[in-house]
Amino acid sequence: MKLGIVGLPNVGKSTLFNSLTKAGAESANYPFCTIDPNVGIVPVPDERLDVLTKMYDSEKTTPAVVEFVDIAGLVKGASKGEGLGNQFLANIREVDAIVHVVRCFEDSNIIHVEGSIDPIRDIETINMELIFSDLEILERRYSRVVRGSHNDKELAKEVAMIERLKKHLEAGKMAKTFELLDDDEINFYSQYNLLTGKPVIFAANVKDGDLADDGASNSFVQSVREFAKGDGSEVFVICAQIEQEISELEEDEKKEFLDDLGIKESGLERLIAASYRTLGLISYLTAGPKETRAWTITKGTKAPQAAGKIHSDFERGFIRAEIVSYENLIECGSMTAAKEKGLVRSEGKEYVVQDGDVVLFRFNV
C-alpha cells in the first residue's frame, strides 16, 4: 500500500511524515523546505503477529508495510509551476490513496500561507491544483488520440469520453465522481492514473487538547467532517506534534503516554486502519518456526489468488488451504489443539480469505 501525503505549506504535513516514518524529512516554518519527495516505509502495527511469533517461536516476524510519499507543500498555481510546481504532483500519481493534511488549529507562531485558518478553503485550493494537474494529463492524451480518431472507432470513443471528462473537471468536480458508461471507458480511464480519481483520507491536524474528544469541540474539524461526508472520504484527527513525540518513545512508554492523553491508538494506527477501510484491504497471517508474517490482500480475494501473494507457484499449483481464525487458534493455544476441536478447515479454490485467517497453503507444481 502506497499513500501520498499532500497539503498546503505549514499545515503539519512534514512533521506528520517525520513522525510516521522517522525518516527525518526537513520540517521548517516556511514553505518549500521539503524539496525532494520523501519516501518512508512503515510497518503496519499488528499485535496478532507478536502473539503468533511467541506461539511458534518464530525466528523472524514480517509485518505488512505502508509506503508514504511526502511532497512539498502545494500552493495556488502549483500545477502551473508556482512554488515548486508540477514535479511534486507527478510524484504521487502512483499512490493508492491520498492523505490530505488540513490545519485545524490556531497558532500565531506558525504562519499560514493564506494568512488565516480556513480548512475548507485549504481543501478546495489543493483540490483545484489536483484538478488542473489532471486536466494537463488529459490534454496531452487528447492531442495524441484525436489525430487518429477519424479512422479508428475505438480512438473516436476515447476522444468523446475525454471531452466529457474534461468538462466534468473544468466544472470543479473530482474525477472519482465521473460516470463511466461501459467497459471500454473503464479501460481508457484506468490508464490515465488521475489524482482526483484516488480515494482521499483527511488528516485533521489539531492541538493536543483536541485529541481526547476526537476533535468534537473543534469547529474546524467539524467543517472538515461535513465536507468529507459529501466527498465520501474518511477523516481522522491527529496532532502531528504529539505523533512526533510518540515516535521517539519506547513501546511501553508509548502506551502510558497515550493513556495520559486519553486516547487508545496512535495517529499512525488510526491512519492505517482508515487506509485499509478506504482501499478495502485486509490481512491474512502465516506462522511457523521460520517466520510469522502478515499479507495484505483486497477484501473478497479467493484462496488461490491470496496464495499467489506469497509466490506465483502457490497460486499455479494450489490444492487447498488449511485455515483457522486467529481468535480460535489463540483460544486453543496451538494448531494441534485447534485441529482436535475441529476448528481447522480445509478450503478449496472458491474460499474467500477473511481478515485474521491463519493459513497454510497446500500446493503442487
Side-chain angles (χ1 to χ4, degrees):
M1 180 166 65
K2 196 170 179 179
L3 302 175
I5 303 181
V6 303
L8 290 171
N10 296 343
V11 296
K13 187 174 58 60
S14 290
T15 305
L16 176 60
F17 174 81
N18 290 349
S19 61
L20 295 182
T21 63
K22 299 184 187 174
E26 187 185 352
S27 176
N29 184 20
Y30 57 91
F32 314 125
C33 63
T34 318
I35 304 301
D36 295 313
N38 291 279
V39 179
I41 305 287
V42 181
V44 174
D46 192 337
E47 290 176 355
R48 299 173 300 190
L49 291 177
D50 299 330
V51 177
L52 289 174
T53 296
K54 281 180 190 157
M55 181 183 279
Y56 283 88
D57 197 20
S58 308
E59 291 170 24
K60 187 177 167 190
T61 308
T62 309
V65 294
V66 178
E67 186 176 324
F68 286 103
V69 182
D70 175 41
I71 66 170
L74 297 171
V75 291
K76 272 182 189 167
S79 58
K80 300 292 179 201
E82 288 297 319
L84 288 161
N86 227 351
Q87 55 177 313
F88 292 122
L89 293 170
N91 292 321
I92 56 166
R93 285 221 171 262
E94 302 307 314
V95 300
D96 300 305
I98 291 172
V99 179
H100 187 157
V101 183
V102 190
R103 180 168 162 179
C104 293
F105 66 89
E106 300 268 12
D107 188 335
S108 57
N109 295 317
I110 301 174
I111 56 172
H112 189 290
V113 74
E114 296 282 359
S116 62
I117 309 302
D118 183 343
I120 303 309
R121 176 203 59 207
D122 294 355
I123 288 170
E124 287 170 348
T125 297
I126 296 287
N127 282 354
M128 285 314 297
E129 292 312 313
L130 301 183
I131 285 170
F132 290 145
S133 182
D134 283 349
L135 280 168
E136 200 176 302
I137 293 287
L138 290 176
E139 289 290 355
R140 287 208 293 268
R141 177 68 184 170
Y142 185 80
S143 62
R144 280 203 301 273
V145 297
V146 75
R147 288 193 293 269
S149 63
H150 306 299
N151 310 314
D152 185 318
K153 279 185 181 174
E154 191 172 328
L155 289 183
K157 189 170 185 180
E158 184 177 1
V159 164
M161 191 202 87
I162 292 175
E163 286 170 350
R164 278 180 28 246
L165 180 49
K166 276 167 58 183
K167 276 184 188 166
H168 183 84
L169 294 174
E170 283 161 359
K173 297 172 185 170
M174 309 291 268
K176 61 186 173 186
T177 63
F178 180 70
E179 189 184 352
L180 298 165
L181 301 179
D182 56 29
D183 288 345
D184 286 341
E185 290 200 349
I186 291 168
N187 184 43
F188 300 144
Y189 177 86
S190 67
Q191 296 170 51
Y192 309 147
N193 209 3
L194 300 177
L195 293 170
T196 62
K198 296 181 186 297
V200 175
I201 300 158
F202 291 105
N205 188 16
V206 300
K207 289 278 183 76
D208 56 1
D210 287 329
L211 282 176
D213 71 352
D214 200 30
S217 54
N218 182 315
S219 60
F220 296 136
V221 173
Q222 295 316 310
S223 66
V224 174
R225 285 191 167 127
E226 274 305 306
F227 181 92
K229 212 182 285 177
D231 193 51
S233 300
E234 286 226 20
V235 180
F236 77 103
V237 174
I238 197 160
C239 174
Q241 209 55 56
I242 289 291
E243 287 303 309
Q244 187 122 30
E245 291 176 39
I246 290 172
S247 72
E248 289 157 12
L249 297 174
E250 295 299 323
E251 208 54 49
D252 51 343
E253 295 175 312
K254 200 180 285 185
K255 192 180 181 318
E256 199 176 316
F257 186 64
L258 291 173
D259 286 344
D260 289 345
L261 287 168
I263 53 178
K264 289 179 182 170
E265 296 174 310
S266 70
L268 173 62
E269 288 167 309
R270 280 178 290 128
L271 170 54
I272 288 173
S275 307
Y276 269 61
R277 284 193 301 273
T278 297
L279 294 169
L281 301 175
I282 59 169
S283 292
Y284 75 85
L285 313 165
T286 54
K290 285 193 173 176
E291 182 183 47
T292 288
R293 183 163 180 167
W295 303 87
T296 303
I297 56 171
T298 306
K299 213 178 275 186
T301 301
K302 291 184 178 178
Q305 288 69 49
K309 289 288 284 185
I310 299 175
H311 197 287
S312 56
D313 283 352
F314 281 36
E315 182 174 356
R316 200 154 44 91
F318 179 88
I319 299 169
R320 68 180 189 279
E322 290 180 13
I323 292 175
V324 60
S325 76
Y326 169 80
E327 288 77 12
N328 284 342
L329 178 58
I330 299 312
E331 211 175 285
C332 294
S334 72
M335 186 62 92
T336 306
K339 278 180 179 171
E340 284 168 2
K341 289 191 174 180
L343 296 171
V344 179
R345 310 182 312 278
S346 181
E347 300 284 2
K349 291 182 177 180
E350 292 305 306
Y351 177 73
V352 175
V353 177
Q354 303 297 309
D355 186 61
D357 277 350
V358 181
V359 187
L360 174 65
F361 291 109
R362 300 288 183 191
F363 71 103
N364 182 28
V365 176

